Amino acid sequence: MSPFFRLLAKRLGTSLIVLIGVSLLIFAIARVIPGDPARIALGPNATAEAVLALREKLHLDASFLTQYGYFLADLARGDLGISLYTNRPVMTDIAQFLPATLELVLVSGLMMVAIGLPLGILSARRRGTWVDHTIRLVTMLGVSAPAFVWAVVLMLAFSYFLKIFPIAGRLSDSITVPSMTGFMLIDTLLAGNLRAFADAVWHLILPAFALALSGIGQAARLVRSNMVETYERPYIEMAEAYGFPEKRIARRYAFRPSLIPSLTIIGLDFAAMLGSAFLVEAVYAWPGLSRYGVAVILRKDLNAIVGTVLIISAMFLIVNIIVDILVSIINPRIRLSQRAS
Amino acid sequence: MTNPTLRIDDLRLGFKTWSGTIDVLHGISLHIRKGERVALVGESGSGKSVTARIVLGMLQQLKSARISGTVEFEGINLETLKPASRHALRGTAMSMSMIFQDPTSSLNPVYPIFTLFREVLQRAEPGIDTETARRKAIAALADVAINEPERVLESYAFQLSGGMNQRVMIAMALANNPALLLADEPGTALDVTVQAQTLRLMSELVEKHQTSVLFISHNLGVVREFADRVYVIYKGNIVEQGPTAGLFDNPQHPYTRALLSAVPRITGGGIPDIEDDPAQFLAPLFAHQGYSEKELLK
C-alpha cells in the first residue's frame, strides 16, 4: 500500500473513533437537558396519550444504552432519524442547510489564505519597518474582536451607511435559480445565469469577510512570526552569502520551511470557522445550518441536535485530515518517515 | 606586483545603539594574496565573524552598522560599487563564497541537496539545465570524496551525517570556483576527527584551485595545520601577525602568548593557569620580521 493511502487509512480510522466518541457524548448531553422532547414537539394542547405514544415511538423510555444502540443501527444505514421540528428526515434537513454554511466557510477559508498568507509574508520580509508595524496593528484588530462583532460592524458600515453591499440573504429576491447543489455560486453557474452569479458573489462577500477577518489576522500573525523565526536560521545566512535574490530567499528559504508549523494552526482556524459561522449566519440571515441548529436545540429535537453536531464534527475531522496530508506533502521529514515505515 | 585577492585597510565597525555607539572593530588591516591561506584567530566576540560578513557585504544593509575603511577585492574598492554589483560578487563565478560553522543547519531542510546545489550553480550560470547541473554537482561531490554522489543529491540534509553535510558545503562553496573562500569556524559543530578530515579535504581542494582563503577560527590546532599566515585579533584590534610557524613558535604579543598557553595539553596538567591581565593584551600590534602589512604589500 502506498504511504499516502496508509496515512489516509490511519487518519480515517482515528477519525471514526473520534466521531463515535462525539456521538456518545452529544447523545448523552442531549438527553440530560431538562424537558420532554415529545411534549415540546406536540405542543401544550396535546393529550397525554399522544405524548405517551410519541415517547414510545422514539424509544424515550428505553435505557440509555438501548437508545444509543437504536441510534447506531440507524446511523449505519445512513439514517439520522426524523426531526421533530421539521418532520422530515434529519439527513434531508442537513442536506438542505449545510451547503449554504459550507459555501460561506469555504469562501472565508479562501480569503483567510489568500489575504492572510501574503500579508504575513510581506510583514516578515519588511520586518521592523512601518509596513510591518501597520500590518501587525491591522491584523491585531482582526484577531481582537469575534466574527459576529465584525459581522455587525461591516453590515452597518457597508450595507447600512455606504449601501455598497446587500444587508442579508444569499440572492436578491428578483432572481431565482433552480437549486441543484445548494451551493449558490455553483447553481447560478450551472443555470448559466452570470447576473445571478454576480449577485450571489455580491451577497457573499460581506459575511464571508466578516467570518474570515479573525482568521486572516491569525494567519498573517502566525506566518509572520514563524517566518521571522526562520529568518534567524543559519541556512538563511548561507543563502544570503551565496547572493540569492531577496525574493527567492523569502519564498524558498524563509516561507517554505516556516509553512510547516503554520499550516497546522491555519487548518484548525479554518475548522473553527464552522463554529463562528453560526453567529455570522444569524447576523446576515444566512439560510445555513445555524438557524436550523439553534431551532432544534431550543426544541430539544434530539435526532436533529445529534445529527447537526455529528456533521460539524465530521467536517472538523475532514479538514484535519486534509491538513495532515498537506503537511506530510510539504514536510520531507514526515514524508520520508512514512516511506520508511 | 598584482593586486591581492583581498585587502582590508583600517576597517572600523561600530553599532549604533540607544546608549551610543559600540565599537567592534578599531581599524584592522589584513590582506590575502592569490592562493594564500590566511587565518584570523581570536576569542568569541573579538570581531572575526563580522569581518567576514563585511567582506561579503552582509552587514552593510544593517541600519545600525557604522562601517569605515577600505575593503578591496582584486583591486576593486567594494565601497564604491553599487549595491547590485556588490551583490553580484557573492556566490558567483570567480567571486567569493563562504562556509559556515554548522553544516547541517546551514542547509535548507525542505529541499533535497540537488535542489540546493543547483541554486548555487545558477548563481554562476543562471540558465544552467538540470542535466548539466547534475553532472557538475556529482563531479563536485566526488571531489570531496563522497562515494555515492547520486544518493547524496537525492537526500535531505537531515538524512546525512554532519561530516557528510560539511563535505556538501565545501563542494558547494567551491563549485563556482571562487577567488576567495571565507571559512567562518568551519566544522566547529562537528566532532574533532570529522572536522580534521573535512578540513584536510578543503585544504587539498583550495590548493588545487589556487583559491585564497580567509580562515576564521578560535581553534589554534586547526589554524596551525591549515594556515600559511596568521593574524591574531583581540577586541577588534589585530595584535600580532606573522607566518604560522614563526608565530606559534615565538609568540611576541602578550595576548598571543596567553592564547597559546590556554591550549590544554593532552599530556596532563589539566587546564593551564592563564595569565589574565587584560591591560597588557591591549599592547600595540606586533608584526613578525618581514610580515607587516607594509612589507608584504610592497
Side-chain angles (χ1 to χ4, degrees):
Chain A
M1 196 161 51
S2 84
F4 174 78
F5 285 107
R6 206 202 312 260
L7 171 78
L8 195 64
K10 215 160 93 184
R11 289 286 181 259
L12 283 176
T14 49
S15 300
L16 195 68
I17 296 171
V18 172
L19 270 185
I20 291 174
V22 167
S23 71
L24 196 59
L25 195 70
I26 194 70
F27 201 78
I29 290 174
R31 274 155 182 77
V32 173
I33 307 171
D36 180 357
R39 170 57 75 189
I40 300 174
L42 294 176
N45 299 326
T47 61
E49 287 77 38
V51 172
L52 215 61
L54 187 59
R55 284 187 68 85
E56 186 79 11
K57 197 177 147 209
L58 295 174
H59 309 294
L60 284 178
D61 294 319
S63 76
F64 174 76
L65 281 181
T66 318
Q67 289 188 43
Y68 188 65
Y70 281 122
F71 166 77
L72 279 188
D74 283 347
L75 187 63
R77 284 184 278 114
D79 181 3
L80 283 170
I82 306 282
S83 162
L84 297 179
Y85 166 51
T86 56
N87 277 323
R88 297 190 306 175
V90 172
M91 274 295 188
T92 316
D93 285 345
I94 289 174
Q96 185 191 335
F97 296 118
L98 185 62
T101 299
L102 273 188
E103 188 172 60
L104 182 65
V105 170
L106 285 176
V107 171
S108 286
L110 208 66
M111 286 180 171
M112 173 167 97
V113 172
I115 303 173
L117 291 196
L119 275 183
I121 294 171
L122 185 66
S123 194
R125 277 176 65 187
R126 303 259 186 280
R127 59 199 177 284
T129 65
W130 64 269
V131 179
D132 181 26
H133 297 316
T134 314
I135 291 175
R136 284 166 77 188
L137 188 77
V138 172
T139 53
M140 188 69 183
L141 275 177
V143 178
S144 55
F148 65 89
V149 173
W150 286 119
V152 174
V153 170
L154 290 177
M155 183 195 262
L156 265 180
F158 292 100
S159 305
Y160 185 74
F161 290 116
L162 295 174
K163 298 188 181 7
I164 300 172
F165 290 105
I167 295 257
R170 295 178 81 185
L171 211 55
S172 298
D173 292 338
S174 54
I175 302 172
T176 46
V177 283
S179 174
M180 293 166 86
T181 60
F183 290 89
M184 203 54 91
L185 295 182
I186 298 175
D187 282 346
T188 51
L189 283 183
L190 285 179
N193 190 340
L194 283 181
R195 210 173 69 83
F197 178 73
D199 189 65
V201 170
W202 187 49
H203 277 78
L204 186 55
I205 287 176
L206 218 47
F209 190 64
L211 182 56
L213 254 177
S214 76
I216 291 172
Q218 295 265 36
R221 296 177 72 80
L222 192 72
V223 165
R224 180 198 178 271
S225 69
N226 281 333
M227 227 174 122
V228 165
E229 207 183 298
T230 312
Y231 264 118
E232 301 299 316
R233 295 286 166 85
Y235 49 79
I236 297 285
E237 197 177 31
M238 159 154 165
E240 280 171 355
Y242 276 96
F244 298 151
E246 194 270 334
K247 238 185 169 153
R248 193 184 185 92
I249 294 178
R251 200 179 67 237
R252 292 170 65 90
Y253 285 74
F255 176 66
R256 243 323 266 285
S258 78
L259 189 59
I260 295 164
S262 304
L263 199 61
T264 316
I265 311 280
I266 290 175
L268 287 178
D269 277 352
F270 175 67
M273 279 183 175
L274 273 169
S276 310
F278 268 49
L279 294 160
V280 173
E281 283 182 12
V283 173
Y284 284 94
W286 195 260
L289 209 52
S290 95
R291 250 197 289 184
Y292 181 69
V294 172
V296 296
I297 288 170
L298 293 178
R299 280 159 192 272
K300 208 162 182 292
D301 185 348
L302 296 182
N303 290 337
I305 295 173
V306 175
T308 310
V309 172
L310 268 187
I311 289 296
I312 288 180
S313 307
M315 293 291 153
F316 221 99
L317 292 168
I318 289 170
V319 170
N320 267 319
I321 291 175
I322 292 173
V323 167
D324 275 350
I325 289 170
L326 283 180
V327 167
S328 79
I329 288 172
I330 63 167
N331 188 347
R333 252 176 230 264
I334 297 180
R335 193 169 65 225
L336 293 169
S337 70
Q338 275 156 6
R339 195 171 299 166
S341 67
Chain B
M1 218 167 167
T2 54
N3 285 316
T5 308
L6 178 72
R7 191 173 76 86
I8 294 174
D9 189 35
D10 196 28
L11 181 66
R12 285 162 197 278
L13 165 71
F15 287 110
K16 219 175 119 187
T17 65
W18 292 108
S19 53
T21 306
I22 296 170
D23 290 318
V24 178
L25 296 176
H26 304 273
I28 67 166
S29 302
L30 60 85
H31 75 277
I32 305 170
R33 291 211 174 273
K34 184 166 173 54
E36 212 180 9
R37 292 168 301 177
V38 171
L40 186 58
V41 186
E43 59 191 46
S44 306
S46 57
K48 299 170 302 201
S49 295
V50 285
T51 307
R53 278 156 184 74
I54 291 174
V55 172
L56 272 175
M58 286 163 70
L59 269 186
Q60 280 79 345
Q61 62 203 17
L62 267 182
K63 268 193 214 135
S64 58
R66 298 279 172 276
I67 302 169
S68 71
T70 316
V71 179
E72 275 181 16
F73 178 70
E74 304 203 310
I76 310 159
N77 185 344
L78 296 184
E79 297 310 316
T80 60
L81 288 181
K82 289 197 185 92
S85 20
R86 217 194 144 128
H87 194 259
L89 283 175
R90 288 191 216 158
T92 52
M94 306 299 290
S95 59
M96 317 177 198
S97 66
M98 187 156 173
I99 296 178
F100 295 89
Q101 263 191 36
D102 182 353
T104 305
S105 56
S106 297
L107 292 165
N108 190 334
V110 297
Y111 296 108
I113 302 293
F114 175 62
T115 310
L116 303 176
F117 221 114
R118 191 175 51 191
E119 287 194 308
V120 169
L121 292 170
Q122 275 170 347
R123 280 295 288 163
E125 198 184 332
I128 195 166
D129 62 276
T130 311
E131 262 327 293
T132 319
R134 187 173 294 276
R135 223 180 44 241
K136 283 192 169 179
I138 287 174
L141 290 182
D143 269 354
V144 290
I146 286 179
N147 292 328
E148 305 168 88
E150 286 90 352
R151 184 183 67 84
V152 169
L153 284 180
E154 297 314 314
S155 306
Y156 292 84
F158 59 83
Q159 293 175 300
L160 301 171
S161 68
M164 201 65 114
N165 283 327
Q166 179 73 336
R167 287 161 197 246
V168 169
M169 291 285 292
I170 293 172
M172 279 181 180
L174 297 174
N176 292 332
N177 209 1
L180 175 65
L181 178 65
L182 301 155
D184 187 4
E185 309 244 2
T188 304
L190 303 174
D191 59 72
V192 276
T193 45
V194 176
Q195 189 185 7
Q197 254 176 23
T198 51
L199 282 177
R200 204 154 299 141
L201 255 171
M202 183 173 103
S203 185
E204 285 164 23
L205 283 173
V206 295
E207 209 158 325
K208 200 169 100 191
H209 294 287
Q210 282 289 295
T211 316
S212 314
V213 182
L214 178 61
F215 189 83
I216 293 168
S217 185
H218 62 263
N219 187 332
L220 296 169
V222 167
V223 166
R224 184 167 205 167
E225 181 156 336
F226 188 76
D228 302 324
R229 281 195 299 123
V230 178
Y231 291 88
V232 180
I233 185 169
Y234 175 68
K235 289 199 170 166
N237 290 297
I238 303 279
V239 294
E240 182 163 356
Q241 61 188 77
T244 308
L247 189 134
F248 274 83
D249 294 340
N250 187 19
Q252 293 297 318
H253 194 276
Y255 177 69
T256 316
R257 280 193 209 141
L259 200 63
L260 285 173
S261 70
V263 178
R265 309 272 167 218
I266 206 160
T267 45
I271 296 172
D273 285 328
I274 300 164
E275 196 190 338
D276 194 9
D277 180 9
Q280 54 166 338
F281 292 169
L282 296 171
L285 165 68
F286 180 89
H288 286 243
Q289 181 72 44
Y291 280 88
S292 71
E293 289 298 287
K294 213 186 243 169
E295 288 164 295
L296 286 170
L297 286 170
K298 241 190 320 216

